[in-house]
């Protein structure tokens, strides 16, 4: 038995992509597998997403593009860029250093561009590499992050890309700040759409083959107006709810569960404390179970005295301080739990379930951060691939 592992249900991933494809109708699905697939394992999840009907993949940083190319998931073989020859297109969404441009182009990935100086650099590097770079021009319609605010500059950049033999115009795109907040600030989501639509239309009028994309997972469910030619979905493909709600209410199935075991069971006399700083003391004589998992694995220390763990189909409170390698749970004054029993931090046991959304709420964060935080010390075990 492993000390701890995260089980990744690739069948759930595939089904979630099929669910999103149904929501999208004619629009294509781009599966976002940045940050090691939101902690689920990038390459395995990318493969499952493609099997579920995704036709493009997106990452944030250069090394992530390299990883997917090395896994053979995109055409980094010197073809005219991924996306040709039926290979799925790979897009690197984030800002890149000069050196990273070579890495990303070498991986056969498209690049995101929003200023002329960077476009020239990409063209020069593509020329040196001997194959044109695919470019997605980014409009900042209100996120206030990457991209240009200036719609005319978007159109000018698109023209510059189309006119350069070392470049190929692949897309024009934007990103929403409040798609996941249905009562956002008087409809900021729709304000962004209002700003992006004419920019995208102007580019498309001149370059009909361009792929227009804007929606993240939340936007897909929020409004079909955001779907355009393609949606970039991350969180929902993993069966995490984009609105921090119950994912099953939107037909999504959580793909990740997080398992360990009870390594020791000890009798605590009333008043005995558990862990560093004595932040919990047994209120009565009780049995305490030790689970060999801690913040070194991504169990946040802020969960000290503040979450449950499933054992034998029941919830038990995590008590005492979460340390780097261990945590403790109160099994109660009478227990039949013995060392070796399975412990589940995220997932289901019998009728009980703890979802990433529950942990996120306890930590006042979002489900994205909970799964991304599971550290490399926890092996990812895939099933249903
Ligand atoms: C991470 C990311 C996405 C995916 O967002 P989800 O909310 O996980 O669906 C889409 N687009 C960009 C630019 C991103 O950075």
């Amino acid at each position: 038995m492993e000390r701890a592992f995260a089980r990744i249900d690739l069948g759930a991933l595939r089904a979630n992509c099929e669910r999103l494809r149904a929501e999208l109708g004619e629009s294509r699905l781009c599966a976002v597998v940045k940050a090691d697939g939101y902690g689920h394992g990038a390459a395995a999840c990318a493969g499952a997403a493609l099997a579920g009907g995704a036709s493009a993949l997106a990452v944030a940083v250069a090394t992530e593009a390299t990883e997917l190319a090395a896994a053979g998931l995109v055409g980094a073989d010197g073809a005219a860029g991924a996306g040709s020859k039926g290979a799925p297109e790979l897009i690197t969404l984030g800002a890149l250093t000069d050196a990273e441009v070579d890495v990303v182009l070498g991986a056969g990935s498209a690049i995101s561009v929003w200023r002329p100086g960077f476009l020239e650099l990409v063209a020069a590097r593509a020329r040196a590499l001997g194959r044109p770079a695919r470019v997605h021009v980014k409009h900042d319609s209100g996120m206030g992050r990457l991209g240009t605010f200036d719609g005319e500059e978007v159109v000018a950049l698109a023209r510059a890309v189309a006119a350069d033999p070392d470049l190929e115009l692949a897309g024009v795109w934007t990103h929403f700040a409040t798609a996941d907040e249905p009562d956002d600030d008087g409809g900021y989501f729709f304000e962004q759409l209002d700003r992006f639509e004419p920019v995208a239309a102007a580019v498309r009028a001149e370059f009909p083959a361009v792929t227009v994309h804007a929606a993240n997972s939340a936007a897909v469910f929020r409004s079909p107006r955001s779907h355009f030619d393609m949606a970039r979905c991350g969180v929902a493909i993993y069966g995490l709810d984009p609105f921090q709600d119950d994912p099953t209410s939107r037909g999504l199935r959580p793909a990740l569960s997080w398992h360990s075991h009870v390594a020791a069971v000890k009798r605590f006399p009333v008043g005995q404390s558990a862990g560093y700083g004595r932040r919990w003391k047994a209120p009565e004589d009780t049995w305490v179970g030790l689970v060999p998992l801690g913040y070194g694995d991504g169990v946040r220390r802020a969960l000290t005295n503040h979450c449950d763990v499933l054992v034998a189909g029941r919830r038990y409170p995590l008590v005492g301080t979460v340390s780097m390698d261990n945590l403790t749970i109160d099994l109660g004054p009478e227990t039949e739990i013995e060392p070796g029993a399975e412990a589940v931090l995220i997932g289901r046991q019998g009728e009980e379930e703890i979802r990433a959304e529950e942990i996120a709420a306890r930590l006042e964060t979002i489900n994205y951060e909970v799964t991304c935080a599971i550290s490399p010390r926890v092996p990812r075990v895939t099933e249903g691939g």
Side-chain angles (χ1 to χ4, degrees):
M1 181 188 193
E2 301 240 33
R3 175 189 66 94
F5 61 94
R7 182 178 295 137
I8 311 300
D9 178 354
L10 297 178
L13 247 132
R14 223 165 31 235
N16 294 331
C17 289
E18 284 160 5
R19 167 77 189 88
L20 288 161
R21 289 250 300 152
E23 197 72 26
L24 284 167
E26 295 292 292
S27 305
R28 296 196 290 133
L29 173 64
C30 170
V32 181
V33 295
K34 61 192 178 188
D36 199 25
Y38 293 42
H40 294 61
C45 291
L50 294 172
S55 55
L57 300 168
V59 294
V61 311
T63 48
E64 295 171 341
T66 307
E67 185 191 341
L68 293 186
L73 286 157
V74 288
D77 53 0
S84 61
K85 289 188 178 173
E89 180 174 30
L90 172 62
I91 312 169
T92 303
L93 299 168
L96 302 171
T97 65
D98 293 9
E100 285 172 329
V101 168
D102 282 347
V103 173
V104 168
L105 292 179
S109 171
I111 286 191
S112 179
V113 166
W114 54 87
R115 61 185 175 84
F118 184 69
L119 189 62
E120 284 161 24
L121 172 81
V122 172
R125 301 315 304 161
R127 195 175 319 126
L129 215 71
R131 97 175 98 128
R134 289 170 64 81
V135 171
H136 291 250
V137 180
K138 182 157 198 194
H139 179 218
D140 189 340
S141 60
M143 172 63 118
R145 230 172 49 175
L146 308 179
T148 170
F149 285 127
D150 182 352
E152 286 177 15
E153 185 167 41
V154 172
V155 178
L157 283 165
R159 286 184 187 136
V161 172
D164 191 323
D166 297 311
L167 302 172
E168 255 175 58
L169 181 63
V172 56
W173 67 292
T174 194
H175 192 42
F176 296 109
T178 59
D180 58 341
E181 293 170 30
D183 40 37
D184 59 328
D185 224 3
Y188 192 70
F189 170 75
F190 290 103
E191 268 179 54
Q192 283 197 255
L193 263 174
D194 289 342
R195 283 188 214 130
F196 179 63
E197 272 173 347
V199 173
V203 175
R204 196 201 292 289
E206 287 183 45
F207 310 104
V210 75
T211 297
V212 176
H213 52 108
N216 58 0
S217 301
V220 167
F221 292 105
R222 181 109 180 247
S223 167
R225 245 185 91 192
S226 72
H227 293 182
F228 298 99
D229 301 318
M230 184 170 83
R232 303 179 309 272
C233 295
V235 81
I237 74 171
Y238 307 101
L240 299 167
D241 190 75
F243 303 94
Q244 306 302 311
D245 214 332
D246 175 356
T248 61
S249 70
R250 265 168 274 274
L252 301 170
R253 259 167 63 195
L256 177 143
S257 54
W258 192 2
H259 307 256
S260 183
H261 65 109
V262 178
V265 177
K266 296 207 311 207
R267 187 73 175 162
F268 270 41
V270 61
Q272 170 64 51
S273 60
Y276 290 114
R278 310 192 71 202
R279 291 169 71 184
W280 178 82
K281 290 174 185 159
E284 58 185 329
D285 289 2
T286 191
W287 292 95
V288 168
L290 179 126
V291 178
L293 200 61
Y295 61 78
D297 301 289
V299 181
R300 294 271 304 279
R301 194 167 177 272
L303 292 171
T304 294
N305 292 327
H306 195 40
C307 76
D308 294 331
V309 174
L310 303 181
V311 182
R314 271 194 52 190
R315 283 173 179 262
Y316 292 98
L318 188 160
V319 293
T321 305
V322 175
S323 51
M324 192 183 293
D325 315 307
N326 294 292
L327 58 83
T328 36
I329 55 181
D330 184 2
L331 298 171
E334 305 291 337
T335 190
E336 309 207 322
I337 306 292
E338 299 202 14
E342 183 195 48
V344 169
L345 276 92
I346 296 176
R348 176 176 279 284
Q349 254 189 358
E351 296 301 300
E352 277 292 350
E353 185 175 13
I354 295 173
R355 295 203 186 102
E357 288 78 13
E358 174 182 332
I359 306 279
R362 291 179 187 273
L363 291 167
E364 295 180 49
T365 183
I366 51 179
N367 46 10
Y368 300 65
E369 196 182 3
V370 171
T371 60
C372 279
I374 301 174
S375 84
R377 196 165 83 175
V378 179
R380 272 59 169 179
V381 179
T382 56
E383 64 172 29

